[in-house]
Amino acid sequence: MKKFVFKLEALLKIRKRQEDQAQTELTKERRILQQEKIKLFDLQDLRVNAQAEFEEQKSKYKIYIQDLLIWNEYLSQIDKRIEQQTALIKNQEDIVKKALKILEEAIKKRKVVEMLKEKRLQQYNLELIAQEQIVLDELSLSIFTRA
């Protein structure tokens, strides 16, 4: 009997390639998300340090209204950047979720084709066993008739 050939092998390769691409994209998007979270952490750290420095300045020196306004504006700008960064992270999390869904779908599609290949291989093996049995039966019959 012929060697097992899966006619949809090209499709399986395509599905594997799509899954690999989806995995690569997910990894890239997760890396971007992590970088954005680090930026947010740095901004929050900057805010805490700036607030501490302001409190230290208040306790050591006489603070004029101009200085107070400058500090207030500075802290306000940091807060605005933190808000923007938080929104950016939320957006990036949505992108990561979409990339994860795409990967899950690619995995499902690949598994469907792999399951079909397994079924066809099992069917091939059963046919091979059946043919071998026929050959063995004929051989047994010919030996029996000679005796």
Side-chain angles (χ1 to χ4, degrees), residues 6 110-120:
F6 183 57
R110 176 191 49 84
K111 284 185 177 183
V112 165
V113 177
E114 282 182 347
M115 286 173 42
L116 182 61
K117 182 178 181 179
E118 281 298 316
K119 284 183 180 179
R120 296 259 171 92

Side-chain angles (χ1 to χ4, degrees), residues 30-89:
R30 282 184 172 163
R31 190 175 316 115
I32 292 170
L33 176 61
Q34 194 60 35
Q35 291 170 348
E36 296 303 331
K37 285 183 177 181
I38 289 170
K39 288 177 186 177
L40 177 62
F41 178 77
D42 290 345
L43 285 171
Q44 291 169 334
D45 194 42
L46 176 65
R47 174 69 164 91
V48 168
N49 291 338
Q51 184 69 37
E53 187 179 338
F54 174 67
E55 295 299 327
E56 184 181 328
Q57 293 284 330
K58 266 187 0 184
S59 65
K60 287 186 178 180
Y61 305 107
K62 191 176 183 181
I63 298 289
Y64 295 103
I65 191 79
Q66 266 182 300
D67 296 332
L68 191 60
L69 290 172
I70 290 171
W71 273 105
N72 189 37
E73 180 62 27
Y74 179 62
L75 293 174
S76 177
Q77 288 298 318
I78 294 174
D79 289 339
K80 186 185 282 186
R81 288 174 54 196
I82 288 173
E83 268 183 43
Q84 291 170 343
Q85 191 64 25
T86 302
L88 202 127
I89 287 172

Side-chain angles (χ1 to χ4, degrees), residues 96-146:
V96 168
K97 285 178 187 175
K98 287 176 185 173
L100 183 60
K101 284 182 181 179
I102 290 170
L103 175 60
E104 289 170 349
E105 190 63 33
I107 290 171
K108 283 180 190 177
K109 287 179 178 180
R110 176 191 49 84
K111 284 185 177 183
V112 165
V113 177
E114 282 182 347
M115 286 173 42
L116 182 61
K117 182 178 181 179
E118 281 298 316
K119 284 183 180 179
R120 296 259 171 92
L121 181 59
Q122 287 175 356
Q123 183 181 15
Y124 170 81
N125 287 333
L126 288 174
E127 289 172 5
L128 187 63
I129 290 171
Q131 283 186 354
E132 287 176 0
Q133 189 61 45
I134 291 171
V135 170
L136 288 174
D137 288 347
E138 288 175 0
L139 186 60
S140 297
L141 187 62
S142 69
I143 290 174
F144 182 71
T145 55
R146 285 186 194 167

Side-chain angles (χ1 to χ4, degrees), residues 6-18 109-115 117:
F6 183 57
K7 293 179 182 178
L8 299 176
E9 192 66 41
L11 177 63
L12 182 59
K13 287 179 183 179
I14 290 169
R15 297 281 167 92
K16 284 180 181 179
R17 193 172 335 115
Q18 288 172 342
K109 287 179 178 180
R110 176 191 49 84
K111 284 185 177 183
V112 165
V113 177
E114 282 182 347
M115 286 173 42
K117 182 178 181 179

